[in-house]
DNA sequence: TTATAATTTGACCGAACGGTCAATCAAATT
DNA sequence: AATTTGATTGACCGTTCGGTCAAATTATAA
C-alpha cells in the first residue's frame, strides 16, 4: 500500500519545482537535472514517479488547464443569459492571469508549442484544444443569440488566449474592457 | 578578396533557413543540424560564417529589430505632433505584425527569453532593450505633452509589444483601435 | 524480529547537441 | 601551370541530455 503522506510530499515537491521552472524557462529550457536540484531529490527518483519528462510536463499542463477551466466554467454554464456568461468568463480569465502568474505565464510560454506539436505532448494538446473548444462554443452561442460582434468564434478565442500573455496588472483591466468591447455588441458598463 | 556574390548566397541561405526555423520552433527548439539541412549545406560550414549558434541567432534578431525600427521610426520622429506620431507608430506596428508574420512570430516567441537572459544573448538583449526604450521615450513625450492616458510609459510599451503576439489578421485592426483608446486621451477616428 | 515493499540513490548508458579540425575542392591570383 | 585563398565537407570531440538499473535505505506488514 502506498505511503500516501510521504509520496504526496515528494511527488508534490517535484511537480511544484518543475512547474516553476517550466514557467520561467519553458519545456526545452529546463533539464531533469534542474528539476531534481530544485526539488531536492536525485534525478532518477523523478522517473520513479513520472515515466518521462514529457509526461511530467503534461501532468502539470493538465493540472493548470483544469484549474483554469474550474475558474472559468465552474458556475457559469448554468446561467441562461449568454451576455452575462461571456462577461463573467472574461472577468474570471483576467483574474486568473492577474492572480496566478506562474500558471498563466506557463500557458503563455508553451501554448504555441503545445498546439503545434505533432507526435509529442498529445495529451497536453488534447487538453488545451478541449479548453479552446469550450471557449469557442460559448462564443458560438453568443453569435447564435446575436450578442457577439461580427467576429468569428475561433478568432475571439484566439484573441482572448493571446492577450493573456500580458502580465502588467496595471493594464489587465484595460484588456478586459477591450475584450468586452470587441466581443460583445453592448457597451461594457462601469 | 571576398567572392561577395557567392558568399552572399550561401550566407543568406543559412540566415533565411535559420530565421524560418527560429520563428517556428524557437532558439532552443532548433539544432544546427536542422539549420544545415534546411539551408542545404553541411553543419560545419555554418561555423565558417558564424562563430556560434548564439551569434547566428543574435544576427538574425538584430536584423529583425532593425527592420521593425525602420518601419516604425523612419519618418515619424521629425513630426512635431506627438499624438499623430503615436498613432502612426501604432498603425505601422500593426502593419508589421500583419505583413511580416515570420519576423513578428519570432519576436513574440523569443522576446521573453531575450529579455530574461543574463550571460547569453547580450547583443540581442541590448538591441531589444534599445527598441523598447525608443518606444517608451515616445510615450514619455506623450505624457509630457499631456496626450497620454494615465498609464506608465513602460506599461504602454509592454502592452504594445505583448499584443503583437496576436496574429489573426481579422482582429489586428481591433487591437490597433484598442491600443489607441487605451493609450491616447482623444478617441480614435474612423 | 524478520520479511517485504516502497522510496531513494549513485553509477552508468546511448543519443543528440554545439562545436572543431584536417582534408578536399573550387575559384582567384601570380 | 602553379600557387594561394576561400568555401565546403566528413569525421570526430566533449558535454549535456533523457533515461535505466542494481543496490541501499527506509517504512510497513507479518
Amino acid at each position: 500500500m502506498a505511503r500516501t503522506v510521504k509520496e504526496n510530499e515528494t511527488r508534490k515537491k517535484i511537480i511544484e519545482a518543475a512547474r516553476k521552472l517550466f514557467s520561467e524557462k519553458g519545456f526545452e529550457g529546463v533539464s531533469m537535472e534542474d528539476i531534481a536540484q530544485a526539488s531536492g531529490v536525485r534525478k532518477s527518483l523523478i522517473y520513479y514517479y513520472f515515466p518521462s519528462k514529457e509526461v511530467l510536463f503534461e501532468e502539470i499542463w493538465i493540472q493548470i488547464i483544469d484549474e483554469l477551466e474550474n475558474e472559468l466554467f465552474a458556475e457559469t454554464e448554468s446561467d441562461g443569459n449568454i451576455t452575462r456568461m461571456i462577461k463573467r468568463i472574461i472577468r474570471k480569465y483576467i483574474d486568473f492571469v492577474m492572480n496566478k502568474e506562474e500558471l498563466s505565464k506557463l500557458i503563455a510560454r508553451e501554448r504555441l508549442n503545445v498546439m503545434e506539436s505533432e507526435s509529442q505532448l498529445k495529451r497536453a494538446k488534447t487538453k488545451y484544444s478541449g479548453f479552446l473548444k469550450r471557449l469557442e462554443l460559448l462564443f458560438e452561442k453568443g453569435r447564435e443569440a446575436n450578442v457577439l460582434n461580427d467576429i468569428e468564434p475561433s478568432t475571439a478565442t484566439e484573441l482572448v488566449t493571446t492577450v493573456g500573455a500580458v502580465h502588467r496588472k496595471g493594464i489587465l483591466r484595460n484588456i478586459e474592457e477591450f475584450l468586452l468591447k470587441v466581443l460583445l455588441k453592448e457597451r461594457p458598463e462601469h
Side-chain angles (χ1 to χ4, degrees), chain A residues 34-59:
Chain A
D34 291 335
I35 296 167
Q37 285 180 6
S39 53
V41 301
R42 304 304 277 230
K43 184 177 67 172
S44 40
L45 180 57
I46 302 179
Y47 292 93
Y48 178 76
Y49 292 102
F50 306 95
S52 67
K53 186 186 183 188
E54 178 173 324
V55 171
L56 170 60
F57 177 84
E58 288 191 301
E59 169 142 354

Side-chain angles (χ1 to χ4, degrees), chain A residues 51-166:
Chain A
S52 67
K53 186 186 183 188
E54 178 173 324
V55 171
L56 170 60
F57 177 84
E58 288 191 301
E59 169 142 354
I60 290 166
W61 183 265
I62 287 167
Q63 281 185 9
I64 289 176
I65 301 304
D66 269 345
E67 190 163 340
L68 176 57
E69 287 187 315
N70 285 345
E71 293 264 340
L72 266 55
F73 301 123
E75 71 203 50
T76 306
E77 276 165 322
S78 60
D79 199 323
N81 188 296
I82 186 63
T83 298
R84 199 156 55 229
M85 282 168 68
I86 290 177
K87 278 178 169 177
R88 193 179 299 157
I89 278 186
I90 298 300
R91 162 65 56 91
K92 286 174 181 287
Y93 180 73
I94 298 298
D95 285 345
F96 182 90
V97 170
M98 289 184 77
N99 301 328
K100 313 237 167 143
E101 231 176 292
E102 184 176 284
L103 309 191
S104 70
K105 276 181 173 172
L106 209 176
I107 295 174
R109 193 185 279 282
E110 287 299 326
R111 69 186 192 93
L112 287 185
N113 295 329
V114 165
M115 287 310 292
E116 282 158 20
S117 65
E118 294 169 0
S119 51
Q120 284 192 307
L121 299 178
K122 282 182 186 298
R123 290 201 302 135
K125 181 174 179 176
T126 299
K127 184 66 177 177
Y128 195 57
S129 297
F131 164 69
L132 295 181
K133 202 59 180 172
R134 283 179 90 175
L135 262 192
E136 192 178 335
L137 282 174
L138 181 74
F139 293 130
E140 197 69 65
K141 283 178 184 172
R143 182 160 71 170
E144 284 163 9
N146 202 25
V147 303
L148 210 71
N149 275 329
D150 187 13
I151 181 171
E152 287 296 313
S154 64
T155 303
T157 302
E158 177 177 320
L159 177 62
V160 170
T161 51
T162 305
V163 299
V166 174

